[in-house]
Amino acid sequence: MNHNIDKYISDKISELKWQDKQLSEISGLSKGQVSKLKNGSVSKLSAQTFYLIVKAFNDSIDNATRIVFLNQKFDLNKWIPKERNEFGKIMSKYENITNSLEEISAKTGINEIRLSELYYRKGALDAYELLFIEKAIGKKPGELFEEFYGKNILF
């Protein structure tokens, strides 16, 4: 998914009258990484990098999303559970599963293999993926970012 992290960083640095060095120091990102992001040289924006930048600027994920993912809709697909046979219908009364991998995949369009990498292996979340997942499970923008990354960040 396309992003405008370069515009967001440039605008915020200008607004706050910062130098790249300050963003690097506060976010914990290297000067080289900040430079690449600011110059638009990074095609995939990781969720962690997005979070670190937004927090360094003391901004909200919701506000940053409107700028970084300008004009991109995070519309969820409708999830229709697979049709069950008679036994499957009986068993559904005893299941307590919500927000399953299958459901999140159907709603977000992120394929199940990719979600499996994120859930069970060492797949690195892209910012747009985490934004979609938050929406799919009914969280406000930034809630999962904060839960996942916030505990290790010292701002």
Side-chain angles (χ1 to χ4, degrees):
M1 182 172 277
N2 294 333
H3 62 78
N4 298 306
I5 194 68
D6 50 340
K7 178 179 176 9
Y8 177 72
I9 291 172
S10 294
D11 290 353
K12 284 301 217 179
I13 283 177
S14 177
E15 175 188 316
L16 297 169
K17 298 179 181 15
W18 282 10
Q19 300 294 316
D20 291 3
K21 179 182 172 186
Q22 287 170 283
L23 177 57
S24 175
E25 289 170 355
I26 295 171
S27 69
L29 297 170
S30 72
K31 292 176 192 172
Q33 180 70 2
V34 168
S35 178
K36 286 179 185 176
L37 289 162
K38 187 178 172 189
N39 294 328
S41 309
V42 176
S43 60
K44 289 184 75 172
L45 178 60
S46 79
Q48 184 174 26
T49 298
F50 180 64
Y51 177 79
L52 291 171
I53 290 167
V54 171
K55 284 301 176 183
F57 287 136
N58 197 29
D59 201 0
S60 71
I61 295 289
D62 197 30
N63 184 60
T65 298
R66 283 193 287 276
I67 298 164
V68 174
F69 296 101
L70 180 69
N71 298 325
Q72 299 205 20
K73 303 243 187 264
F74 285 88
D75 294 332
L76 297 177
N77 301 320
K78 183 173 178 156
W79 180 60
I80 301 169
K82 291 179 185 175
E83 187 66 33
R84 292 178 180 237
N85 62 24
E86 283 303 310
F87 180 70
K89 290 176 184 174
I90 290 169
M91 289 307 297
S92 70
K93 294 187 293 187
Y94 303 102
E95 293 175 1
N96 295 320
I97 298 173
T98 57
N99 298 322
S100 67
L101 189 140
E102 179 185 62
E103 180 180 353
I104 290 173
S105 175
K107 285 181 174 180
T108 64
I110 302 168
N111 73 44
E112 289 184 39
I113 294 169
R114 175 65 178 148
L115 287 173
S116 289
E117 290 172 2
L118 297 172
Y119 285 27
Y120 303 111
R121 293 181 196 87
K122 296 185 182 208
L125 281 157
D126 287 342
Y128 82 92
E129 291 172 323
L130 191 49
L131 289 164
F132 257 130
I133 292 167
E134 283 181 328
K135 191 168 186 178
I137 65 170
K139 296 287 185 184
K140 293 177 187 162
E143 279 189 78
L144 281 180
F145 281 89
E146 201 62 48
E147 186 175 335
F148 188 59
Y149 298 114
K151 63 183 176 268
N152 298 322
I153 307 299
L154 303 172
F155 285 110

